[in-house]
Amino acid sequence: MKRLSLLLLIINALAWGALKAQNLPQDLTEIVIGEGTETSCQLPFNACHEEWRYTLYSEYIIPASEMGEPSVINSIAFEIDNADMMYYCELYIWLGTTEDEIHTSETDWLDPDLMTQVYYSPDISLGWDEGWTTSTFELNEHFVYRGGNLVVGVGVVFWQDESILATQCTSTTHQSLWTYNRLDPWGYWGGGEKNMNNDRDEGTLSPLRPNIKLVVNKNALPVCIPEVLDLGYRPSGCWTAPLEAQLVNNAFEGSIVSAEIDNSFFSLNGLELPYDFDAIDTIPYAISCGIGSGTQTGTLTFTFDNDKTLEVPLSAT
């Protein structure tokens, strides 16, 4: 069993190495936050505690000046300095934004309702190699960053004894806040989110913030809300009110050059083309339909000035 586990770890490490060697897709960009060389075994994984069965919750503020333009965050990584495997951790990552550039006190946590859980793994092992590769997390839910100071929340449930895993950090002032809790050793599994997200005690301000690497898309296409435009049931021979919708921008900077519907039963209202997007625009429009009975379907296709398209399904019954 140990040999099999070791083999799987080696295969996984090779796969990460191959991924690292590839160029990022054209629309993706790396942002490295912090280039310091100081080390910490506490943040963000709290590997240096000699007790086992604990939770650590920590928050890091990244000022807007370090984030740059609006973008969609696809992944997050921490820079390992001293490699040491941490087995079967329960790991949570949250993202949010705040107007504050620093934590003003030991209890100045960001309201959990303003955070979005973007990553969860019930049994991840990490930290077996130095650098970024073994602590890179592809987000379960991509996060739309529209500006402001980014807050990164990391929660970990750690089951083994002390590790010597450490991360590279940058000196900051009151941009790291963390709290540690010992777990009931029996009957616990899967309760870390409540422990870390709802029952935060007074924390500890740290002068170090872990170096963080984000992979972001600074040219993500807008999305349609709702994703499917269903005008619903239409009584025979009666007029039906238009369906209101929105195009919500996710950092795309360009233009809509055309919008076409492949079924003349539907028509687009309230959108003048071409339309030039700002990075955080939200554009209202409406879809109306003709008078008649029976099921109708179609597709609304938006074409952008980078030749990409967004297809939105249409339906009415």
Side-chain angles (χ1 to χ4, degrees), residues 29-283:
T29 303
E30 288 183 352
I31 301 175
V32 177
I33 309 295
E35 298 180 349
T37 57
E38 299 188 60
T39 61
S40 171
C41 64
Q42 289 178 324
L43 305 176
F45 305 122
N46 206 35
C48 54
H49 269 279
E50 296 181 359
E51 301 171 315
W52 67 298
R53 297 182 300 264
Y54 68 79
T55 65
L56 176 84
Y57 178 76
S58 54
E59 278 185 6
Y60 310 103
I61 296 177
I62 301 174
S65 58
E66 296 185 67
M67 284 296 300
E69 301 171 353
S71 59
V72 176
I73 300 174
N74 291 10
S75 71
I76 185 169
F78 300 92
E79 187 175 13
I80 302 300
D81 177 74
N82 194 46
D84 188 31
M85 174 67 77
M86 290 177 64
Y87 297 96
Y88 308 120
C89 301
E90 188 177 347
L91 183 66
Y92 302 80
I93 299 175
W94 293 269
L95 293 176
T97 56
T98 180
E99 295 181 356
D100 299 328
E101 290 195 358
I102 62 171
H103 296 287
T104 58
S105 71
E106 288 81 1
T107 57
D108 186 23
W109 307 102
L110 185 64
D111 185 339
D113 291 337
L114 301 179
M115 300 282 276
T116 300
Q117 183 177 310
V118 294
Y119 182 86
Y120 172 69
S121 175
D123 57 356
I124 192 171
S125 297
L126 52 89
W128 66 83
D129 195 9
E130 294 180 0
W132 303 98
T133 58
T134 60
S135 60
T136 295
F137 309 106
E138 299 292 333
L139 302 188
N140 306 136
E141 178 180 343
H142 292 175
F143 183 81
V144 180
Y145 169 72
R146 299 185 180 279
N149 305 310
L150 184 71
V151 179
V152 180
V154 181
V156 63
V157 181
F158 189 33
W159 292 92
Q160 71 189 63
D161 293 329
E162 180 182 14
S163 167
I164 59 172
L165 177 68
T167 56
Q168 291 211 344
C169 300
T170 299
S171 295
T172 61
T173 301
H174 292 182
Q175 290 180 343
S176 297
L177 180 61
W178 62 279
T179 184
Y180 160 82
N181 288 294
R182 184 76 189 275
L183 290 174
D184 179 351
W186 306 112
Y188 171 86
W189 186 253
E193 182 175 8
K194 179 180 185 301
N195 191 306
M196 292 176 286
N197 208 30
N198 298 329
D199 297 334
R200 299 177 191 170
D201 299 321
E202 181 174 322
T204 301
L205 289 168
S206 172
L208 299 178
R209 187 185 66 192
N211 295 345
I212 293 172
K213 180 165 68 176
L214 304 173
V215 172
V216 305
N217 188 339
K218 293 191 175 182
N219 205 28
L221 290 180
V223 296
C224 180
I225 304 296
E227 294 181 355
V228 177
L229 302 181
D230 182 8
L231 279 78
Y233 173 70
R234 297 164 296 108
S236 179
C238 295
W239 175 83
T240 302
L243 175 65
E244 295 182 353
Q246 293 180 326
L247 277 177
V248 180
N249 198 10
N250 286 337
F252 174 72
E253 293 187 356
S255 302
I256 305 175
V257 295
S258 68
E260 299 178 351
I261 298 176
D262 61 3
N263 182 344
S264 60
F265 183 77
F266 301 96
S267 58
L268 173 66
N269 310 111
L271 181 61
E272 295 185 4
L273 299 177
Y275 184 92
D276 294 329
F277 273 102
D278 289 330
I280 56 175
D281 267 354
T282 296
I283 307 168

Side-chain angles (χ1 to χ4, degrees), residues 287-314:
I287 296 292
S288 57
C289 65
I291 297 175
S293 60
T295 299
Q296 295 280 349
T297 60
T299 301
L300 167 61
T301 301
F302 294 101
T303 301
F304 301 91
D305 59 359
N306 60 0
D307 294 328
K308 293 187 176 181
T309 59
L310 171 65
E311 294 185 350
V312 183
L314 307 173

